[in-house]
Amino acid sequence: MALLAGKKFLITGISSNRSIAYGIAQACAREGAQLALSYNNERFKDRVQGFADELGAGQVIKLDVSSDESVDLAALELANRWSDGFDGFVHSIGWAPREAISGSFLEGITREGFLSAMNISVYSYAALAKKLLPQMEGHKASLLTLSYLGGEKIVPNYNTMGLCKAALEAATRYISADIGPKGMRANTISCGPIKTLAASGIKNFGTMLAQSRSVSPLRSLVSIEDVGNAAAFLLSDSSFGITAETLYVDAGFNALACVIPPEEA
């Protein structure tokens, strides 16, 4: 039997076929899950609908996490679509002002930029969990969000987004404590660098890719398919004993104490 047969999940954050969320959606569909895909604004609606058609996910759902009204309407649409509830969601949403992910951390940070980044990148995860919890009651629901090593260690130019990822991982732990008694789980995947639309906004991202490939224990980068496979496992009942965790899918890069090019080691 497929790993996710009979399961239903909301997948957020697909912006292109190179998105990590797209890799997760593909893996979930392959493993038998029913999916609902969300889009943020009209710019992405037709594109995400194309992915939904490809994956058999029906009509896409408008979800602007900066708006409580939009979150409420999305929850209502999910309730109408899946009247018997559903089994979890994937939070793949993150944003920070460009000046907050380039150069000096202190020069780039502003009150407005910090609050906006935290609101969209972190609060949205908790807000979705809170709003959608009633629809997941009675299910072995699994929630999943996406992080990066910059939330734990210093990564040049990641800056404010690093703070957001640290808070996101903490939110996962606190959410897991709330929903655990209901038989539900929450986990985070910390991905290695992947060339996505979002990553293209980080200065010198190409250097990060090359470095990760050259020094990680596997001497390779990870793909959206690699992350998708790990996500499908964490969303499935096969991982029921795992919650409040951050799973690294980064070819082992996080285990390095220092970075020395192989030819100099």
Side-chain angles (χ1 to χ4, degrees):
M1 180 182 290
L3 197 61
L4 297 173
K7 297 283 191 180
K8 308 183 199 78
F9 298 102
L10 167 67
I11 310 288
T12 71
I14 297 180
S15 58
S16 77
N17 60 4
R18 293 189 299 165
S19 298
I20 294 172
Y22 177 78
I24 293 174
Q26 277 192 314
C28 289
R30 182 196 71 218
E31 294 300 329
Q34 295 180 47
L35 303 178
L37 308 186
S38 72
Y39 69 97
N40 177 45
N41 56 50
E42 295 304 312
R43 173 187 170 195
F44 292 106
K45 181 179 181 180
D46 289 344
R47 185 187 306 176
V48 178
Q49 185 61 61
F51 299 140
D53 294 342
E54 170 194 333
L55 298 169
Q59 288 299 116
V60 293
I61 296 173
K62 174 71 179 293
L63 176 60
D64 175 2
V65 294
S66 68
S67 163
D68 289 337
E69 180 183 7
S70 180
V71 172
D72 289 345
L73 289 173
L76 180 61
E77 190 163 346
L78 282 169
N80 290 333
R81 179 177 302 193
W82 292 326
S83 58
D84 58 344
F86 62 100
D87 301 282
F89 65 85
V90 174
H91 175 271
S92 180
I93 299 170
W95 178 87
R98 184 170 294 274
E99 65 272 15
I101 51 173
S102 177
S104 166
F105 165 66
L106 290 178
E107 289 179 6
I109 195 168
T110 63
R111 186 184 302 276
E112 180 181 4
F114 173 81
L115 294 176
S116 295
M118 282 287 182
N119 181 31
I120 293 173
S121 305
V122 185
Y123 176 72
S124 61
Y125 181 35
L128 285 175
K130 183 176 182 178
K131 188 65 184 180
L132 299 177
L133 186 61
Q135 297 184 48
M136 297 184 288
E137 293 273 5
H139 295 252
K140 286 184 177 179
S142 180
L143 315 186
L144 187 62
T145 190
L146 299 175
S147 189
Y148 176 59
L149 192 60
E152 180 183 342
K153 295 178 170 65
I154 300 166
V155 173
N157 301 308
Y158 206 58
N159 298 351
T160 296
M161 188 53 71
L163 275 64
C164 290
K165 294 303 187 184
L168 195 63
E169 292 179 18
T172 292
R173 293 187 286 272
Y174 279 94
I175 289 171
S176 72
D178 265 15
I179 67 176
K182 301 176 184 292
M184 304 180 192
R185 301 175 294 118
N187 290 292
T188 303
I189 289 180
S190 182
C191 311
I194 298 175
K195 194 172 183 180
T196 64
L197 184 64
S200 65
I202 301 172
K203 186 178 178 181
N204 297 328
F205 186 73
T207 302
M208 293 167 60
L209 285 171
Q211 185 181 69
S212 182
R213 180 190 291 112
S214 66
V215 303
S216 65
L218 281 177
R219 297 293 193 269
S220 69
L221 297 173
V222 294
S223 65
I224 61 172
E225 290 78 16
D226 295 325
V227 179
N229 291 335
F233 168 69
L234 286 176
L235 292 169
S236 76
D237 291 346
S238 294
S239 63
F240 185 73
I242 302 173
T243 192
E245 293 292 341
T246 296
L247 175 67
Y248 294 95
V249 182
D250 65 355
F253 187 83
N254 73 91
L256 299 177
C258 61
V259 175
I260 302 175
E263 63 274 11
E264 298 178 19

